[in-house]
Amino acid sequence: MINQEDEIDLKVILFNYLQYWSIIVIFMFAGILAAFLFNRYYTPVYKVESSILVSDDKPSLGMDLFESSGLLQGKNNIENEIGILKSFSLAQETIDALNLNVQYFQEGLISNSQIYGNVPILVTVDWTQPQLVGGMFRLEILDETTFELTIEDDKFSIFNPKDPYFKTKFEENFLTKSIFTFGEKLEGQNFFFKIDQLTGVQGDVVLFKIIDTPTLALSFQEKLSVAPTNKQSSILNLSLETPVRRLGQDYINKLMERYLYRELEEKNRASENTVDFINQQLSGISDSLRFSENKLQQYRTENKTFNLSQEGSVIFQRLQELEKEKGQTEVSLKYYQTLQNYLANNQSGDLVAPSVIGVTDPLLNSLVQSLSELQADQTRLKANFSDQAPAVRENATRIQNARRALQENVGSALQNTQNVLSDLNNRIRMVERDVNSLPQTERNLLSITRQFTINENIYVYLLQKKAEAEITKAANMPKNSILDFAKSGQQPIAPKRSLNLLIGLILGLILPIGFITVKDFLNTKIEDPKELEKQLKVPLIGMIGRNNSEDALPVFNNPRSTVTESFRSLRADLAYLSPQNKNLTLLFTSSISGEGKTFVSLNMASVFALMGKKTVLIGLDLRKPRIAEDFGLINDKGVSTCLSSNTIWQSVVKNSGYENLDVILSGPIPPNPSELLLQDKFRKIISEIKEVYDVVVFDCPPVGLVSETKELFYFSDINFFVFRQGYSMKANSQILNNLVEKGGVNKIYGILNDLHIDKGYGYGYGYGYGYGYGNNSYGYHEEAQLPWWKRALRLK
């Protein structure tokens, strides 16, 4: 629960800020206006989104075995696909496909807006030559055939196609003229482009900028965001923030298209390699088939023999079956040897699947397929990452393990195939013995026919496999697929109009409050009475309001003023501070000049004189006297006269012009004021004065500047240390504390003078008492005290 003191402190804090309410309102209005203008002229930014389904890699038989054995680790497919989609090379391909190297803009009042799609002109750039990029051109259509071209922004750099990733600055004026013809080639040492008219009309102004592909690719790469919908999902969301919605949609759609095309191209490459392998085999077998066919025809023609006998046909059938099996075995053997050389030479090209040439070993097929996939992934990863990237290094380890496993399997398969081929050769030799029992002509026909049939069977077999490979290529589809094509929201994501207005309002509120807070924090002047009370080790006995008149004696000349009432209140408090003394001696001092100690001492002496007390005001500030001016007297004699000569004190007493109030001026300024006030004569004079007057008031020099004041405390009954609001330094309160703690001064109290800064306590504002003749109680009337919030706002 907040106590009353805390509540007052909160009110004071609020009061302090409300004094500057007009400034705060102006700043708040300025903040809202700035936010409104920002929303009005800021180019809207839209978010374009799409999604891709990434198929999970299901491990094949070989991969499953090796992963379960710990030789291979499963691929982090999602992370790899994210890396590929955000790759620099894919961004380059997309930009090249869309031809985005020239950006067109329309002039605006504050900023330029980009045009995309329906552009009035077409700029064609020759990227095979060095080209100036980065700067802005301004084109104005003069008529149907001519235009004026000037430079809007000269921040150009030279793009060299031979070194596309390094550009040099260019600051020369390269346009030798400004009027050109549409379709004319603009050529120079570092620029080659042509401008054609499309839909522009006379007077149209178009700005355009030429940007090289690497720079654009890097820009789009940074803007593109790719992330899975959740940790377990294989769906990737692609998003791009752009001020041109259609451009963002076209870019993301083309990016996804190129991404899937890359994947399909890698799949097709394996089928193409298979067809190339078969074509190489067909090239050799075609010549053999053609030769054996011609030889068979020639032999039949020469010997007039066309068919074999029944016995010969049986033998030929047996040989044909064995030769066919031998031919297929030799193809398999050649494939194994090729695969073995491939692995031994550590090649990285695409492999031919064993199933294509008739090898049905499921483990071997699975291992070859797994190695092909790993090598394809490595190619894609290296196109987007460096060789030291973790994904590339991890995949290289998988490839090495897969090679080792495949080498062992191929070695075993090669040995088995050689054994099968040797067995077939033995069986063929046994059948050939039966051939020797046939007539010579039939034997020769059988041999030629046999050779022709072998070549024909192999040729037909290879043609069949080639057709299968081409069918496989035609049937290939990307494993990943597009779920949603790019689409943009109808509302821009920036600027956030409501949020910006709120931020403008908050900043308009915080900035002046912060300034006020810092100003108060750095303020070294005394303003808050409560703060002064906390700093002082003695009571703050009274507060005197600001005297708005030029009169230094408001007690006599303006008795109904608030300032006069403050002195009356202070006089009443003295009755409690010294109740036993009939005669009273008061001392007034301060830390420095200008704090109002003379003003307070004058009016305190006056307020006692009004009571009928015989009062004397003694000016003890021998260095800088002020009392004579305030009473209209001449400072020709006074305290210094008595102390430096034999003049008696009664002779220097002057009439103030007011009843019951006498004045003893400080007199001419002596050369040694401190020594004069320390004489025994001064003590005797003060003692005699106290016997004559009821109230003696000392106007002393500032205790913070001179030393003699400390000696004067012993002659007074009550001492007052005067502070001035907005003038006295906060550190001056320590001077008063030191007088009490170290100087041993008793009965000293603080007075805050010139109170005019209202800190929320109500001191000196809206209240007071005055003498009147109305029907109010006892001839007094009370002014209405305003509420604190009205005093803060200065509202009447």
Side-chain angles (χ1 to χ4, degrees):
M1 184 176 179
I2 301 177
N3 56 39
Q4 185 178 0
E5 183 178 353
D6 292 334
E7 289 179 356
I8 293 174
D9 290 340
L10 291 175
K11 185 183 73 172
V12 169
I13 293 173
L14 182 60
F15 187 94
N16 184 45
Y17 292 124
L18 285 178
Q19 291 183 95
Y20 304 93
W21 69 270
S22 57
I23 297 176
I24 294 175
V25 169
I26 291 173
F27 268 85
M28 291 171 65
F29 176 77
I32 294 175
L33 179 61
F36 172 79
L37 294 176
F38 179 82
N39 291 336
R40 171 64 180 82
Y41 293 105
Y42 184 85
T43 303
V45 177
Y46 297 87
K47 187 173 185 179
V48 182
E49 295 180 295
S50 67
S51 58
I52 285 182
L53 175 62
V54 178
S55 297
D56 294 330
D57 285 338
K58 295 181 179 179
S60 57
L61 176 61
M63 292 294 290
D64 194 17
L65 290 173
F66 285 101
E67 286 180 12
S68 61
S69 64
L71 294 175
L72 292 176
Q73 295 180 347
K75 295 185 290 181
N76 190 354
N77 193 44
I78 295 294
E79 293 298 326
N80 291 345
E81 300 306 314
I82 291 176
I84 293 170
L85 284 166
K86 294 190 66 175
S87 64
F88 179 79
S89 60
L90 187 60
Q92 276 189 312
E93 291 180 20
T94 305
I95 290 168
D96 288 336
L98 290 174
N99 192 21
L100 300 177
N101 297 97
V102 180
Q103 295 180 350
Y104 304 89
F105 299 88
Q106 184 177 9
E107 280 188 317
L109 180 63
I110 301 297
S111 60
N112 302 323
S113 56
Q114 186 174 354
I115 310 171
Y116 179 75
N118 186 20
V119 293
I121 61 171
L122 177 63
V123 180
T124 305
V125 183
D126 184 3
W127 289 106
T128 61
Q129 304 293 332
Q131 184 62 51
L132 289 175
V133 297
M136 183 79 76
F137 293 92
R138 184 181 187 274
L139 183 148
E140 183 177 356
I141 300 176
L142 301 179
D143 53 41
E144 294 181 356
T145 59
T146 60
F147 62 88
E148 181 181 8
L149 185 66
T150 56
I151 297 174
E152 184 78 7
D153 182 3
D154 61 353
K155 296 179 180 178
F156 288 97
S157 56
I158 302 174
F159 170 79
N160 188 352
K162 296 180 180 179
D163 189 7
Y165 302 107
F166 177 77
K167 291 178 289 188
T168 56
K169 289 186 177 180
F170 184 85
E171 299 179 352
E172 300 176 11
N173 185 11
F174 56 91
L175 289 178
T176 57
K177 62 177 183 176
S178 60
I179 307 299
F180 299 91
T181 303
F182 285 110
E184 174 187 354
K185 289 185 178 180
L186 281 71
E187 298 183 5
Q189 184 178 359
N190 295 305
F191 62 95
F192 298 85
F193 59 89
K194 180 182 68 170
I195 302 176
D196 293 308
Q197 161 80 296
L198 295 181
T199 61
V201 296
Q202 182 177 355
D204 281 355
V205 175
V206 181
L207 305 175
F208 67 89
K209 179 185 292 186
I210 300 174
I211 307 176
D212 57 285
T213 298
T215 301
L216 269 179
L218 186 61
S219 174
F220 277 99
Q221 182 188 21
E222 293 174 350
K223 292 178 182 178
L224 182 68
S225 175
V226 183
T229 54
N230 55 61
K231 292 183 179 180
Q232 284 74 35
S233 175
S234 60
I235 298 176
L236 296 179
N237 288 333
L238 285 73
S239 62
L240 181 70
E241 296 180 2
T242 173
V244 185
R245 286 182 284 184
R246 184 178 169 188
L247 172 61
Q249 292 172 353
D250 288 350
Y251 178 81
I252 290 184
N253 286 334
K254 183 60 69 174
L255 180 83
M256 295 189 296
E257 178 186 323
R258 297 300 305 174
Y259 166 73
L260 296 180
Y261 176 78
R262 268 191 176 190
E263 182 187 345
L264 183 60
E265 197 176 38
E266 290 165 3
K267 281 190 172 184
N268 289 340
R269 193 176 297 121
S271 299
E272 290 169 358
N273 288 341
T274 301
V275 172
D276 292 341
F277 174 79
I278 294 175
N279 286 333
Q280 292 175 4
Q281 304 304 313
L282 284 172
S283 176
I285 203 66
S286 295
D287 294 337
S288 299
L289 178 62
R290 190 178 302 108
F291 176 78
S292 60
E293 182 181 12
N294 293 335
K295 187 176 180 181
L296 178 60
Q297 290 177 353
Q298 182 181 1
Y299 185 81
R300 283 176 173 174
T301 303
E302 291 175 354
N303 294 279
K304 297 182 180 348
T305 302
F306 299 97
N307 296 319
L308 295 171
S309 63
Q310 184 178 2
E311 183 180 0
S313 296
V314 172
I315 294 172
F316 177 74
Q317 185 69 29
R318 289 168 58 193
L319 277 174
Q320 186 179 18
E321 292 176 355
L322 290 173
E323 291 290 355
K324 181 179 180 181
E325 186 177 353
K326 178 183 176 182
Q328 293 177 353
T329 303
E330 286 177 341
V331 171
S332 298
L333 181 63
K334 189 171 184 179
Y335 171 77
Y336 287 138
Q337 290 171 344
T338 302
L339 184 59
Q340 190 176 48
N341 291 333
Y342 175 91
L343 296 173
N345 295 329
N346 199 26
Q347 298 178 10
S348 58
D350 291 315
L351 291 170
V352 178
S355 58
V356 173
I357 47 86
V359 177
T360 57
D361 185 355
L363 180 59
L364 180 64
N365 274 279
S366 178
L367 288 173
V368 171
Q369 181 184 355
S370 299
L371 182 59
S372 297
E373 292 177 356
L374 288 171
Q375 288 179 339
D377 287 343
Q378 191 73 348
T379 302
R380 297 171 68 194
L381 290 172
K382 282 187 174 181
N384 304 295
F385 305 105
S386 66
D387 292 343
Q388 301 302 318
V392 177
R393 296 174 64 183
E394 183 181 354
N395 202 60
T397 303
R398 295 195 190 102
I399 292 175
Q400 186 178 1
N401 292 334
R403 280 181 178 275
R404 190 181 303 113
L406 187 56
Q407 280 177 331
E408 295 176 0
N409 189 277
V410 169
S412 176
L414 187 62
Q415 183 65 39
N416 293 337
T417 304
Q418 289 174 342
N419 293 336
V420 170
L421 186 61
S422 176
D423 180 63
L424 288 172
N425 287 330
N426 291 332
R427 291 168 64 185
I428 289 172
R429 282 192 294 271
M430 292 178 63
V431 175
E432 286 176 344
R433 292 175 186 171
D434 296 336
V435 174
N436 293 330
S437 63
L438 297 175
Q440 181 65 38
T441 302
E442 191 171 358
R443 286 204 308 269
N444 292 338
L445 179 61
L446 180 69
S447 176
I448 296 172
T449 304
R450 170 189 169 194
Q451 188 63 40
F452 170 74
T453 305
I454 291 172
N455 291 332
E456 183 183 32
N457 289 338
I458 295 175
Y459 185 78
V460 171
Y461 176 76
L462 290 175
L463 285 178
Q464 179 186 354
K465 293 301 179 182
K466 179 181 178 181
E468 292 177 357
E470 289 177 341
I471 291 172
T472 301
K473 177 183 176 181
N476 275 342
M477 292 289 291
K479 64 180 179 179
N480 303 328
S481 59
I482 298 175
L483 280 184
D484 295 311
F485 285 95
K487 60 182 180 299
S488 171
Q490 296 300 318
Q491 298 297 325
I493 61 171
K496 300 183 182 298
R497 300 181 182 277
S498 299
L499 180 61
N500 290 342
L501 290 173
L502 179 61
I503 291 175
L505 178 65
I506 293 175
L507 286 177
L509 182 65
I510 290 177
L511 288 178
I513 289 179
F515 175 78
I516 295 169
T517 303
V518 172
K519 183 180 81 66
D520 289 345
F521 178 76
L522 298 177
N523 183 23
T524 59
K525 304 294 180 65
I526 295 174
E527 291 184 355
D528 190 352
K530 286 289 184 181
E531 183 180 0
L532 178 60
E533 282 186 315
K534 292 178 181 178
Q535 293 176 348
L536 294 178
K537 303 294 184 182
V538 297
L540 183 64
I541 193 70
M543 285 171 279
I544 311 299
R546 166 164 285 189
N547 180 24
N548 294 316
S549 66
E550 297 296 329
D551 190 355
L553 294 169
V555 171
F556 285 126
N557 302 324
N558 193 8
R560 299 178 59 182
S561 67
T562 305
V563 176
T564 302
E565 197 58 42
S566 300
F567 285 106
R568 290 195 182 101
S569 176
L570 183 58
R571 182 188 62 189
D573 292 336
L574 292 180
Y576 299 98
L577 297 178
S578 183
Q580 304 298 329
N581 294 343
K582 293 183 179 180
N583 295 333
L584 191 62
T585 303
L586 306 179
L587 182 148
F588 292 89
T589 187
S590 62
S591 56
I592 57 175
S593 298
E595 291 178 308
K597 61 174 183 59
T598 300
F599 172 77
V600 176
S601 60
L602 286 176
N603 285 277
M604 278 302 298
S606 301
V607 81
F608 277 105
L610 287 175
M611 287 181 62
K613 297 279 188 178
K614 191 175 181 181
T615 308
V616 62
L617 173 63
I618 304 177
L620 296 180
D621 189 351
L622 305 185
R623 291 179 172 82
K624 194 176 180 181
R626 281 281 311 277
I627 297 177
E629 299 176 11
D630 295 331
F631 283 101
L633 302 176
I634 299 176
N635 191 22
D636 55 346
K637 57 182 179 180
V639 175
S640 62
T641 307
C642 296
L643 296 178
S644 60
S645 64
N646 294 325
T647 305
I648 59 175
W649 66 269
Q650 290 86 351
S651 64
V652 299
V653 176
K654 294 188 177 183
N655 188 355
S656 66
Y658 299 98
E659 187 178 359
N660 297 322
L661 178 59
D662 292 334
V663 178
I664 299 178
L665 301 177
S666 59
I669 300 175
N672 55 344
S674 298
E675 288 73 11
L676 289 179
L677 294 176
L678 294 178
Q679 297 178 13
D680 291 336
K681 185 177 181 180
F682 175 74
R683 186 185 303 272
K684 181 179 178 183
I685 290 173
I686 295 300
S687 177
E688 293 176 357
I689 291 174
K690 288 182 178 181
E691 293 177 359
V692 176
Y693 291 93
D694 298 326
V695 178
V696 179
V697 179
F698 293 159
D699 177 29
C700 298
V703 70
L705 299 178
V706 298
S707 59
E708 61 266 23
T709 305
K710 296 179 182 179
E711 304 297 330
L712 299 177
F713 287 124
Y714 301 105
F715 299 100
S716 61
D717 299 317
I718 302 176
N719 306 297
F720 296 99
F721 198 99
V722 179
F723 299 94
R724 182 178 176 183
Q725 189 183 41
Y727 183 87
S728 301
M729 305 296 290
K730 293 180 180 179
N732 290 350
S733 61
Q734 191 59 38
I735 297 176
L736 176 54
N737 293 334
N738 290 337
L739 290 175
V740 176
E741 295 176 348
K742 300 178 181 179
V745 178
N746 297 321
K747 281 199 172 185
I748 186 168
Y749 304 96
I751 293 178
L752 183 58
N753 182 37
D754 193 26
L755 191 68
H756 61 283
I757 303 174
D758 196 347
K759 305 299 288 186
Y761 304 108
Y763 301 126
Y765 282 94
Y767 68 94
Y769 298 92
Y771 299 105
Y773 299 94
N775 295 322
N776 294 336
S777 56
Y778 305 100
Y780 291 92
H781 70 272
E782 183 177 357
E783 301 174 8
Q785 182 176 2
L786 298 175
W788 66 273
W789 59 272
K790 281 191 176 182
R791 299 199 311 274
L793 298 177
R794 300 293 193 273
L795 297 178
K796 298 298 183 181

